[in-house]
Amino acid sequence: MGLLFQGSAGRAAALTFCSPLRKPRKNSRMAERRATAAAEPDFLQFNDLACETEGGKVIFATDEWFAPAKNLLKREPPQFIPSAFTEFGKWMDGWETRRKRIPGHDWCIIQLGVPGLIHGLDVDTSFFTGNHSPYVSIQATCLDELPSFTPGEDRTGMAATAAQIAAVAKLSSEVWPELVGVAPLQPGYAERCHNYFRVSSRSRVTHLRLNMYPDGGIARLRVFGVGQRDWSSIPANQDVDLVALTNGGVCLGYSDAHFGHPRNMIGRGRAANMADGWETARRLDRPKTLKADQQGILQVPGWEWAVFRLGHPGLIGSIEVDTNHFKGNFPDSCRIEACLLTPEEEARCVQTRWNSGKWEVLLPPQKLRPHHRHHYSKADLTPTRPVSHVRLIIAPDGGVSRLRLWGRPRLVTGAPANQSRASSKL
Ligand SMILES: NC(=O)NC(NC(N)=O)C(=O)[O-]
């Protein structure tokens, strides 16, 4: 499938997410999955900047009678439990307000876990049928900080007071620029629950205001984009994880993501479980009987790969490859390649499905262990110049939960898009 990516040259290039490195498999399940994926917008490949596991928070909501707004940012897909009721009504896995009997509409303010450029949104109404919010709009702004808000006294825990709403609205959230104008929402029946909105915020966003008109329920809000960090605050001699999602790292292509997307590998902290990592399907081209070389590395014809753009070009000094939770399905071996690309070169690589590029070995092939944090120091790495992109290659297939690339940011001419200093205006 293709993904539109806005390079710093201001040109849109189609990013591809299928393998250039192997023949297509005759696998009908995969074909089916690709057909479904083809109907999905390409921006779904970016990071979810509002996810609670990346630090996203709801800092204010006008009403949370039936279900709290923080559910909007849960990582896991929404659930429905027919028999679950609370003292306030039907238990719902999302944000659900009361049927409004006073003037106005409901809204909440979300602080992104990772400030950045937003490329698309999914307002997911899963299971809200008969009580979904009929219309939505989304505003965005870039603010250093918003004061924290305490829940309303009258809330019985669940609603802000009129005075609180007025106080928060006075912070000008009413006039924040609109990212999505008032738009109708589909109710949350299986195939129709995703309400996608393509946007192109050209500047950094820190906060969103989600408005529902006049009231109702929304299961999840996914905010797809690329983090933008202010690199001027990082001392030149400090090692940082250059590929971390929070530092602006982004996955730009991969060969297979049957059980888990490679972007999971650059998430915060250690993986919660196997679903919070990159996991491919078992390759069908593996020999019937496996043989290993002298280092114990299996000799297999095929491999899987994932390409990342770093949040900032830099010199990589140490690497962590974590197979946490992958016990019976860790890859036999991995290697890492790297290169320095201008945005124009990146766009070309994308067009050729990463079949081109000036890849150089950064980490030679390494035998991997199950459920283990592998650390590679400078002595294990091939010395390179500053790099902007890396390719993790696993053989023959399997799962990796985290990839950390520790290094020092370096300024290079013709640098990729997300190394620019954070802009404070929308
Ligand atoms: N059965 C319902 O879902 N009723 C109400 N919602 C909840 N959650 O109880 C409603 O109509 O808004």
Side-chain angles (χ1 to χ4, degrees), residues 66 89-90 92 96 99 131:
F66 289 114
K90 174 79 196 76
M92 295 297 290
E96 189 187 352
R99 299 184 189 207
N131 52 357

Side-chain angles (χ1 to χ4, degrees), residues 113-399:
V114 186
L117 298 183
I118 300 175
H119 296 290
L121 298 125
D122 178 14
V123 182
D124 178 346
T125 55
S126 287
F127 307 116
F128 286 93
T129 63
N131 52 357
H132 76 287
S133 171
Y135 297 92
V136 75
S137 80
I138 300 169
Q139 299 160 261
T141 194
C142 183
L143 297 171
D144 286 333
E145 227 174 279
L146 270 184
S148 55
F149 307 105
T150 43
E153 297 291 309
D154 79 335
R155 195 180 170 200
T156 14
M158 303 300 164
T161 62
Q164 283 175 320
I165 295 171
V168 180
K170 236 198 266 158
L171 290 164
S172 308
S173 71
E174 267 163 13
V175 295
W176 290 355
E178 254 179 8
L179 209 52
V180 176
V182 179
L185 289 181
Q186 298 287 343
Y189 296 105
E191 284 96 47
R192 292 159 65 200
C193 62
H194 295 288
N195 295 269
Y196 295 124
F197 299 97
R198 180 182 297 279
V199 298
S200 55
S201 68
R202 300 220 163 236
S203 346
R204 188 169 183 258
V205 173
T206 58
H207 293 80
L208 295 175
R209 174 167 149 158
L210 172 65
N211 301 288
M212 50 186 183
Y213 303 98
D215 55 29
I218 294 172
R220 296 285 186 270
L221 177 70
R222 308 271 186 223
V223 181
F224 295 99
V226 182
Q228 256 206 346
R229 172 163 196 170
D230 180 355
W231 290 94
S232 62
S233 61
I234 309 280
N237 57 358
Q238 189 185 313
D239 274 346
V240 281
D241 179 3
L242 296 169
V243 78
L245 191 157
T246 47
N247 289 332
V250 62
C251 176
L252 297 183
Y254 56 81
S255 57
D256 185 74
H258 190 88
F259 295 110
H261 196 289
R263 67 175 162 225
N264 295 338
M265 287 188 292
I266 60 172
R268 261 179 216 237
R270 292 196 79 201
N273 50 37
M274 251 169 55
D276 187 13
W278 175 35
E279 188 187 351
T280 71
R282 295 184 191 211
R283 288 188 66 89
L284 302 179
D285 60 0
R286 287 168 300 153
K288 291 190 184 62
T289 305
L290 298 165
K291 290 192 181 120
D293 69 8
Q294 283 174 344
Q295 283 174 275
I297 293 181
L298 291 180
Q299 299 301 288
V300 285
W303 56 85
E304 304 291 357
W305 58 271
V307 171
F308 293 88
R309 189 210 296 143
L310 306 181
H312 195 294
L315 272 174
I316 297 171
S318 61
I319 294 178
E320 181 182 323
V321 176
D322 190 353
T323 56
N324 197 17
H325 306 298
F326 292 100
K327 297 172 185 170
N329 47 0
F330 61 100
D332 175 64
S333 65
C334 79
R335 67 180 203 269
I336 298 177
E337 299 170 340
C339 62
L340 181 67
L341 298 175
T342 63
E344 293 74 20
E345 287 169 328
E346 180 189 84
R348 234 172 292 133
C349 286
V350 159
Q351 270 154 13
T352 61
R353 299 176 172 185
W354 292 99
N355 225 346
S356 56
K358 318 175 276 188
W359 298 112
E360 285 176 13
V361 174
L362 174 62
L363 178 71
Q366 305 289 324
K367 182 86 178 164
L368 294 176
R369 292 165 54 186
H371 191 51
H372 182 77
R373 235 167 159 169
H374 306 76
H375 294 281
Y376 304 106
S377 65
K378 207 166 180 177
D380 302 308
L381 310 185
T382 312
T384 58
R385 295 162 293 146
V387 295
S388 56
H389 293 69
V390 293
R391 175 157 74 175
L392 171 65
I393 296 157
I394 56 171
D397 51 36

Side-chain angles (χ1 to χ4, degrees), residues 12-32:
L15 286 195
T16 45
F17 287 86
C18 47
S19 171
L21 298 178
R22 64 170 196 220
K23 287 182 190 154
R25 289 182 190 148
K26 285 187 184 135
N27 181 331
S28 61
R29 248 175 53 201
M30 185 171 283
E32 247 172 54

